[in-house]
């Protein structure tokens, strides 16, 4: 607040020719910082480009401390160990907004830059896929269509099971968990045209797939659905969970199964599991 | 609003003298909303009947600040009582600055900042933020008469430095 703050007056560079009318540039830097604190981070950064005084104001620690999740120090410890040293809060925020790998690189986490809420993604290589070592069933293929540059491709199998686990200090809130999947194997042909090979796609219309999640707090969610729309990446919603205590890491176990062995299934690309704040699901409905 | 009202007998008042030499007498509870005044008189020492000079504040601004504080002091306890009170306070916040020009708001911010009137300052800051939210840098510059003091090279460097705030993290948010 302006309380007790020494009045560092911003240089009134290029202000209106009538000095009796104060402009934004005449405000003490602390006031400019207070105003910016009410805006979201992209806007703050946008206004920082106005002039030096604004840029100075935009670096105020208190602005970014308020944007960071309350448990950001725990998150920093988890992701960077002790590696961030004495960065200012704005830099901490910027660093956390980039996708950061953890747990050996098979998982990444980032803060949504506008809201400061945490998003997390687990690579196919970070999941326990039954039969992954048998090349008759599964193969890892490189692709630009995954943030991890690799997906797991299923040719065919009787017993389909994918399990995963992640432990992370999620900030308090409600989260939705999804599997990012595609029926069919896509590639970029000459001239950059995207082509999807669906010759192995079969069996998904016979019985639905079952998705489940469990949290260390005892929450459980499950859903069932038929995989559809060959050639298109879809996020299949597993369920939601709520985090109340951000100071303890939340452990999530998840699984996707189709183990009816009366039929085989195949032609599936498994990219990742993603966890987003539930409100994003509402936002994306506008798209 | 007390400008040259006589002091009410039972109520304690505080006197403030503005930059344009006007003397205001305020009820003590209103005056104590001003952090600077509160600090000036303190818990002991300075006697309450002493006149406090506020040379950085014009009577025009002080009048408005007194108006806000008086109304706010009245509405706040009601808001703690029930939902209707809360609604009234929200409405008050929403409407109070509606008619003011951005220039006027700037003048009030400077005065409220000097006097340390936190509640009013919060409202003023929020109002400015609302008015510049989602507007282009050029619009905001014009609105406040600010010119960039960056060289083109510095502007370019800034663009890079802030790129993180504008780039996507690839992947669209969840679609079903």
């Amino acid at each position: 607040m302006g309380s007790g703050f020494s009045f560092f007056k911003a240089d009134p560079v290029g202000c209106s020719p009538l000095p009796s009318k104060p402009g934004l540039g005449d405000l003490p830097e602390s006031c400019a910082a207070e105003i910016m604190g009410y805006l979201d981070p992209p806007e703050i950064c946008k206004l920082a480009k106005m002039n030096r005084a604004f840029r100075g104001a935009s670096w105020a620690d208190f602005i970014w401390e308020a944007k960071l999740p309350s448990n950001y120090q725990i998150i920093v410890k988890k992701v960077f160990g002790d590696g961030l040293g004495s960065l200012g809060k704005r830099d901490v925020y910027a660093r956390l907004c980039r996708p950061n790998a953890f747990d050996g690189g098979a998982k990444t986490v980032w803060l949504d830059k506008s809201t400061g809420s945490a998003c997390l993604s687990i690579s196919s290589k970070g999941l326990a896929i039954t039969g992954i070592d048998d090349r008759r069933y599964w193969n890892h293929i490189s692709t630009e269509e995954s943030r991890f540059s690799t997906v797991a491709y299923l040719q065919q199998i009787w017993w389909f099971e994918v399990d995963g686990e992640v432990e992370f200090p999620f900030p308090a809130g409600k989260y939705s968990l999804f599997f990012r999947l595609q029926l069919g194997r896509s590639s970029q042909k000459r001239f950059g045209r995207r082509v999807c090979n669906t010759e192995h796609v079969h069996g998904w219309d016979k019985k639905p797939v079952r998705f489940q999640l469990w949290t260390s707090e005892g929450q459980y969610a499950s859903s069932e659905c038929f995989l559809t729309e060959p050639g298109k990446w879809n996020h299949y919603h597993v369920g939601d969970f709520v985090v109340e205590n951000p100071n303890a890491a939340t452990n999530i176990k998840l699984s996707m199964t189709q183990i009816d062995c009366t039929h085989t299934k195949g032609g599936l690309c498994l990219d990742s599991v993603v966890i987003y704040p539930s409100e994003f699901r509402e936002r994306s409905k506008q798209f | 609003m007390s400008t040259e009202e006589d002091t009410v007998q039972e109520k304690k008042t505080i006197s403030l003298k503005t930059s344009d030499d006007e003397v205001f007498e305020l009820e003590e509870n209103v005056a104590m909303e001003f952090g600077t005044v509160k600090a000036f008189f303190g818990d002991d020492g300075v006697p309450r009947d002493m006149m406090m000079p506020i040379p950085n504040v014009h009577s025009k601004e002080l009048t408005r600040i007194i108006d806000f504080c008086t109304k706010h002091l009245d509405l706040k306890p009601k808001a703690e009582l029930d939902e209707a009170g809360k609604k009234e306070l929200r409405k008050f916040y929403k409407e109070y600055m509606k008619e003011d020009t951005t220039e006027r708001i700037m003048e009030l911010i400077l005065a409220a900042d000097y006097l340390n009137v936190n509640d009013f300052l919060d409202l003023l800051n929020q109002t400015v933020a609302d008015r510049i939210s989602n507007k282009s840098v050029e619009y905001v510059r014009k609105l406040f008469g600010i010119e960039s003091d960056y060289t083109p090279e510095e502007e370019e460097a800034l663009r890079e430095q802030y790129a993180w705030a504008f780039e996507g993290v690839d992947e669209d948010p969840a679609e079903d």
Side-chain angles (χ1 to χ4, degrees), chain A residues 165-180:
Chain A
E165 184 173 345
V166 63
E167 184 161 299
F168 190 79
F170 288 97
K174 188 172 171 206
Y175 296 86
S176 300
L177 196 146
F178 305 84
F179 272 80
R180 185 167 183 261

Side-chain angles (χ1 to χ4, degrees), chain A residues 108-183:
Chain A
T108 75
V109 66
W110 66 96
L111 297 188
D112 171 67
K113 63 182 80 67
S114 294
T115 59
S117 22
C119 308
L120 192 152
S121 187
I122 309 174
S123 159
S124 53
K125 293 202 170 167
L127 298 169
I129 302 174
T130 305
I132 191 68
D133 292 324
D134 191 328
R135 304 199 56 155
R136 291 172 298 167
Y137 306 141
W138 288 94
N139 281 285
H140 288 290
I141 58 180
S142 303
T143 170
E144 283 170 8
E145 296 184 359
S146 161
R147 82 166 56 245
F148 298 100
S149 304
T150 178
V151 297
Y153 179 69
L154 171 70
Q155 200 159 292
Q156 80 155 29
I157 204 165
W158 296 93
W159 182 287
F160 177 89
E161 179 173 352
V162 177
D163 297 306
E165 184 173 345
V166 63
E167 184 161 299
F168 190 79
F170 288 97
K174 188 172 171 206
Y175 296 86
S176 300
L177 196 146
F178 305 84
F179 272 80
R180 185 167 183 261
L181 308 164
Q182 178 180 258
L183 291 180

Side-chain angles (χ1 to χ4, degrees), chain A residues 1-4 7 13-16 21-28 31 34-35 38-39 42-43 45-52 54-55 58-59 64 90 93-94 97 99 110 113 147 178 180 233 235 237 274 276 281 284 287, chain B residues 102-103 106-107 109-110 113-114 116 118 121-126 128-130 132-137 140-141 144-151 154-155 158-159 161-176:
Chain A
M1 260 303 338
S3 51
F7 297 114
V13 180
C15 275
S16 61
K21 295 186 182 180
L24 205 52
D26 290 321
L27 286 181
C31 282
E34 291 285 338
I35 292 173
Y38 284 104
L39 301 171
E43 291 226 279
C45 293
K46 184 177 75 183
L47 289 181
K49 297 192 276 185
M50 284 217 292
N51 66 8
R52 286 168 210 277
F54 268 84
R55 181 159 170 272
S58 78
W59 281 81
W64 298 97
R90 201 212 77 130
Y93 191 89
C97 284
W110 66 96
K113 63 182 80 67
R147 82 166 56 245
F178 305 84
R180 185 167 183 261
W233 285 104
H235 287 84
H237 185 219
V274 290
Y276 284 123
R281 208 159 160 242
S284 74
F287 294 178
Chain B
T102 313
E103 240 164 58
M106 291 298 123
E107 288 164 348
I109 287 181
L110 287 171
D113 184 65
Y114 175 80
N116 231 309
N118 289 353
L121 205 42
D122 283 346
L123 178 61
L124 291 166
N125 287 333
Q126 174 80 77
V128 176
D130 288 343
I132 62 179
S133 172
N134 290 323
K135 298 287 194 300
S136 70
V137 172
V140 181
R141 277 201 182 126
F144 296 105
I146 297 171
E147 274 171 28
S148 171
D149 50 2
Y150 292 120
T151 66
E154 285 170 329
E155 287 227 25
L158 273 185
R159 234 184 297 271
Q161 212 186 77
Y162 288 102
W164 68 268
F166 305 104
E167 58 201 14
V169 198
D170 52 56
E171 237 170 272
D172 289 334
E175 342 114 9
D176 262 351

Side-chain angles (χ1 to χ4, degrees), chain B residues 21-56:
Chain B
D21 284 333
E22 261 200 61
V23 178
F24 284 69
E25 282 193 28
L26 295 76
E27 286 173 24
E28 187 172 330
N29 62 338
V30 174
M32 288 306 163
E33 291 287 292
F34 303 1
T36 320
V37 173
K38 199 167 175 186
F40 180 83
F41 288 102
D43 282 330
D44 52 318
V46 183
R48 300 282 160 112
D49 56 6
M50 175 159 170
M51 182 163 66
M52 176 182 173
I54 45 171
N56 283 24

